[in-house]
Amino acid sequence: MTSTLLRTLTAPSSSLRVSRYSILFARQASTMTPQLKDPSLFKQNVCYVNGEWVAAKSGKTFEVHDPSTGDLVGTAPEFTSQDTESAIRAAADAFPSFRTQTGRQRSKLLRAWYDLMVANSEDIAKLITWENGKPLADAKGEATYAANFFEWFSEEAPRIYGDTINSSVPANRILTYKEPIGVCGLITPWNFPAAMITRKVAPALAAGCTVVCKAPGETPFTALALAELAHRAGIPKGVVNVVTALDNTPEVGETLTTSDTVRKVSFTGSTNVGKLLMKQSSGSLKKLSMELGGNAPLIVFDDADLETAVTGAIASKFRSSGQTCVCANRIYVQSGIYDQFVQRFTEKVKGFKVGNGFDENNTHGPLIHGRAVSKVDQHVRDAEKKGGKVLVGGQKLPDLGDNFFQPTVIRDMTGDMAIASEETFGPVAGLFPFRTEEEVIKLANQTEVGLAGYFFAQNMERVYRVAEALDVGMIGVNTGIISDPASPFGGVKHSGFGREGSKYGIEEYQVVKTFTFGGMGKPLQS
């Protein structure tokens, strides 16, 4: 039966049957609760503060539900400002001793945490799929990617160097010294429950900082599992603190941003929330890094290798069902190859299988919640109303569950459609035709955000010209995947500021102290 189903699913005219058979797979998978090899990694009703597992002082908790099935995953503490202040004090108390550890000592701690993440990667992936919904294969990839930040920054920790600077005063000597900034508040999103935490925690610890990490309310259990592994790795108490909240998230965020003890806040999330946190932080003049919203253009020029462009666009657009800040949101294809690209791209999408992430037959899972589904549906309906033609998908999948939406391709997009100016954050590919390079550069840059951009071309003069012209922080040339621990991650304009990952990532958690020595030009007296 399975081989017959697979043949049917990959047939070009089987879009309706895809949904029905995906429902079959999803229902089978939804009856299974994931079994962890190490059940002690699943922490309910407690957060990690000062090296101990503690409940909220109020005793209140919130529920976390599987976005695929709606079933209860578990309950987590509803921390308040008072609870968060306890975590900040723990981090502050731990900072004086942790900052004096050598880079090599901190390196060994991060390496131990990395080794434990690798050893427990299968369980981490299961937790990600359970609370986030992404297919298990994607979750395994994230678990590996997340661990690699610990490896990368374990290697950076011993290599924090200052400079000697030639003074304009002959008798002076100038040295610079890089110091950890202090206690850091880290606020992370739900779409990458492991990687968004490690990308912030790893450089902070490598620099000698201590942290209070606010885990996302939708996906707290992955963060708490990482905290358990930190404990096992021997991270000193108070150095890493993980707190959770759902309804109290604004209160916890305000506590972190207004605290004079917290010297740095790093946030990944929407532009609007980032602006609010920035405003709240102004009173304490703390250092900030903001990785905010995107509306990534992906451009395919006539001279591109068509198969490479289709494959890259699929990877960029539909990774995690389109729920990433660097997803291609606007796909521009030059008129000479537009129809060919549309045909090949659409055929690829027809082969997708939607359902529960624990079913290995499924390529794509649910969206995170009903609000996300509603926004995606609004964008599709808006495009249809204004002349866009839906080639595949375009509908909710209520038989699968409340949070499922078909992977969708829409051709003949125009600039007055919502997708042209708003981030969809879902599995909808809008394909825009264009004629000239000048025209598409103007279209690509005609947005207030500037996180990532992609283009496919083979003419090297064009490659350099377009790469320099796109007003974004990161560019993928002939590839749809740009994330790498070795690569700086961040945007420009309303997509924020600061860089994560790479050799630049650790600088976000440091301050430069300058030493000026006078009287150094006098000769020695015999």
Side-chain angles (χ1 to χ4, degrees):
M1 178 178 178
T2 301
S3 61
T4 303
L5 287 179
L6 291 176
R7 283 196 302 271
T8 304
L9 288 169
T10 55
S13 61
S14 63
S15 58
L16 290 176
R17 283 171 287 177
V18 167
S19 299
R20 295 191 183 109
Y21 287 123
S22 294
I23 292 167
L24 171 62
F25 287 135
R27 292 305 184 196
Q28 290 172 342
S30 69
T31 62
M32 299 182 295
T33 298
Q35 300 298 313
L36 302 183
K37 291 182 179 179
D38 183 356
S40 67
L41 290 176
F42 182 55
K43 300 292 184 183
Q44 287 200 79
N45 305 320
V46 286
C47 289
Y48 188 66
V49 176
N50 203 28
E52 298 179 350
W53 291 101
V54 299
K57 290 180 174 64
S58 66
K60 292 182 178 180
T61 61
F62 61 90
E63 293 184 347
V64 178
H65 293 270
D66 181 341
S68 287
T69 65
D71 295 339
L72 180 69
V73 174
T75 52
E78 187 71 80
F79 261 38
T80 63
S81 176
Q82 183 182 8
D83 295 308
T84 307
E85 288 285 0
S86 296
I88 293 172
R89 284 195 299 272
D93 291 343
F95 177 63
S97 61
F98 189 67
R99 69 176 297 176
T100 63
Q101 288 197 7
T102 66
R104 183 63 62 188
Q105 288 173 313
R106 296 195 296 270
S107 172
K108 290 178 180 178
L109 290 171
L110 286 169
R111 181 71 198 198
W113 201 353
Y114 165 77
D115 289 338
L116 285 167
M117 277 198 72
V118 172
N120 293 275
S121 61
E122 188 172 331
D123 280 349
I124 293 170
K126 288 179 180 178
L127 287 171
I128 292 171
T129 294
W130 199 9
E131 60 183 357
N132 171 279
K134 66 177 62 176
L136 189 59
D138 286 358
K140 289 178 179 179
E142 182 187 341
T144 299
Y145 175 55
N148 286 344
F149 283 105
F150 287 142
E151 181 182 43
W152 174 269
F153 285 105
S154 74
E155 296 163 349
E156 289 292 295
R159 297 175 176 84
I160 299 173
Y161 304 134
D163 294 305
T164 60
I165 300 173
N166 292 327
S167 173
S168 59
V169 179
N172 288 357
R173 301 293 183 268
I174 302 171
L175 305 177
T176 64
Y177 179 76
K178 293 182 179 179
E179 292 186 330
I181 194 167
V183 176
C184 300
L186 312 177
I187 305 175
T188 63
W190 51 261
N191 57 340
F192 288 90
M196 295 300 96
I197 291 174
T198 62
R199 196 165 74 185
K200 298 179 188 295
V201 171
L205 267 60
C209 299
T210 58
V211 303
V212 178
C213 180
K214 163 60 176 71
E218 297 88 348
T219 58
F221 296 118
T222 302
L224 295 171
L226 297 185
E228 171 61 23
L229 296 180
H231 186 83
R232 296 180 191 179
I235 306 294
K237 72 174 186 177
V239 171
V240 173
N241 305 274
V242 178
V243 305
T244 66
L246 185 62
D247 290 342
N248 290 343
T249 291
E251 177 183 336
V252 172
E254 187 173 11
T255 302
L256 292 172
T257 52
T258 57
S259 169
D260 284 320
T261 303
V262 176
R263 301 295 298 276
K264 159 71 188 269
V265 165
S266 176
F267 170 71
T268 298
S270 73
T271 297
N272 287 339
V273 174
K275 290 177 179 178
L276 174 62
L277 296 176
M278 189 174 178
K279 183 181 294 185
Q280 292 173 353
S281 298
S282 64
S284 54
L285 288 175
K286 52 176 51 67
K287 190 174 184 179
L288 300 173
S289 55
M290 297 279 170
E291 194 265 283
L292 308 177
N295 187 350
L298 185 147
I299 305 167
V300 183
F301 289 100
D302 282 346
D303 65 317
D305 179 272
L306 191 56
E307 190 58 35
T308 299
V310 169
T311 301
I314 289 286
S316 178
K317 173 65 257 182
F318 290 104
R319 183 186 182 196
S320 298
S321 295
Q323 297 178 112
T324 87
C325 54
V326 293
C327 274
N329 200 63
R330 299 166 289 152
I331 301 177
Y332 298 104
V333 184
Q334 202 159 15
S335 54
I337 60 169
Y338 183 77
D339 289 333
Q340 286 178 274
F341 181 92
V342 169
Q343 181 182 4
R344 293 197 191 186
F345 187 89
T346 303
E347 288 303 313
K348 293 269 190 183
V349 176
K350 285 180 179 178
F352 291 167
K353 304 169 187 66
V354 181
N356 191 297
F358 284 111
D359 188 324
E360 63 181 14
N361 292 290
N362 294 325
T363 59
H364 293 79
L367 300 185
I368 191 64
H369 45 51
R371 297 188 304 279
V373 174
S374 295
K375 182 177 183 181
V376 169
D377 187 58
Q378 289 170 9
H379 277 195
V380 174
R381 304 285 80 82
D382 172 79
E384 279 189 314
K385 180 180 178 181
K386 295 173 181 175
K389 182 179 179 182
V390 176
L391 301 179
V392 62
Q395 299 296 328
K396 300 177 184 178
L397 293 169
D399 289 339
L400 279 177
D402 293 339
N403 299 329
F404 288 91
F405 198 94
Q406 292 175 325
T408 301
V409 179
I410 309 174
R411 67 167 292 159
D412 302 332
M413 297 289 293
T414 57
D416 63 336
M417 297 174 183
I419 292 174
S421 58
E422 300 176 16
E423 186 176 27
T424 304
F425 227 68
V428 179
L431 308 182
F432 297 73
F434 76 92
R435 291 172 297 171
T436 68
E437 180 181 315
E438 182 181 15
E439 173 194 0
V440 78
I441 293 298
K442 182 177 179 181
L443 290 169
N445 290 339
Q446 207 168 38
T447 175
E448 66 178 13
V449 293
L451 188 57
Y454 310 83
F455 68 92
F456 293 79
Q458 296 188 78
N459 180 285
M460 290 308 296
E461 292 181 2
R462 168 175 278 167
V463 165
Y464 274 92
R465 194 166 56 240
V466 173
E468 292 177 358
L470 289 176
D471 196 6
V472 296
M474 299 173 286
I475 294 174
V477 183
N478 294 322
T479 180
I481 302 295
I482 57 174
S483 298
D484 187 317
S487 177
F489 193 103
V492 297
K493 300 193 290 187
H494 287 221
S495 288
F497 46 84
R499 293 296 179 266
E500 295 185 324
S502 83
K503 68 176 184 177
Y504 301 106
I506 198 168
E507 296 176 0
E508 300 290 336
Y509 298 90
Q510 296 172 320
V511 291
V512 175
K513 180 179 285 185
T514 304
F515 301 155
T516 302
F517 299 89
M520 303 297 289
K522 296 179 181 179
L524 291 173
Q525 300 296 319
S526 59

